[in-house]
Amino acid sequence: MDVLTDLLHRARAQNALVRRLIQRPPWGMTYADAPPLTVAATLGGHASIRVGDSTPTRLAAGDIALITAPGGYTIADDPATTPQFVIRDGRKYLPAGAPAGRYFRP
């Protein structure tokens, strides 16, 4: 078994969900209840991922990140950008907790 297959097996990766995000800076969102494994690919531009209180990781165009943070993570154009939304239970909320719209479908 190769390393990626082992990682997917341990993360119990099933029922994949693909989301595409195309934004202009400033942008940011927090995934409050992230799945056991998230794959983030930066196809153009750049992004910053912060898991919990850790140091942010910058992704450049062409970079791929495997995120195993069931406690959640934040992705934004820059580490200093405040997230505009929190994604929880498949729904988009404002940071204060009020619903921001229907289901999140980027």
Side-chain angles (χ1 to χ4, degrees):
M1 184 179 307
D2 62 74
V3 175
L4 181 57
T5 301
D6 184 52
L7 177 65
L8 294 173
H9 177 73
R10 289 174 189 248
R12 296 177 182 87
Q14 300 176 29
N15 304 324
L17 176 64
V18 176
R19 293 182 174 138
R20 180 175 67 169
L21 175 66
I22 300 172
Q23 296 284 331
R24 293 178 193 252
W27 61 269
M29 62 188 64
T30 296
Y31 288 84
D33 54 358
L37 176 67
T38 299
V39 178
T42 309
L43 303 179
H46 60 274
S48 174
I49 297 175
R50 180 188 306 264
V51 176
D53 293 330
S54 69
T55 303
T57 299
R58 183 177 168 91
L59 299 178
D63 286 347
I64 296 174
L66 299 175
I67 306 163
T68 57
Y73 65 91
T74 297
I75 186 167
D77 67 310
D78 186 87
T81 301
T82 302
Q84 293 100 348
F85 303 107
V86 175
I87 310 302
R88 184 180 309 108
D89 297 326
R91 296 181 186 266
K92 183 168 59 172
Y93 296 88
L94 298 175
R102 294 202 40 105
Y103 293 93
F104 176 63
R105 298 190 195 282

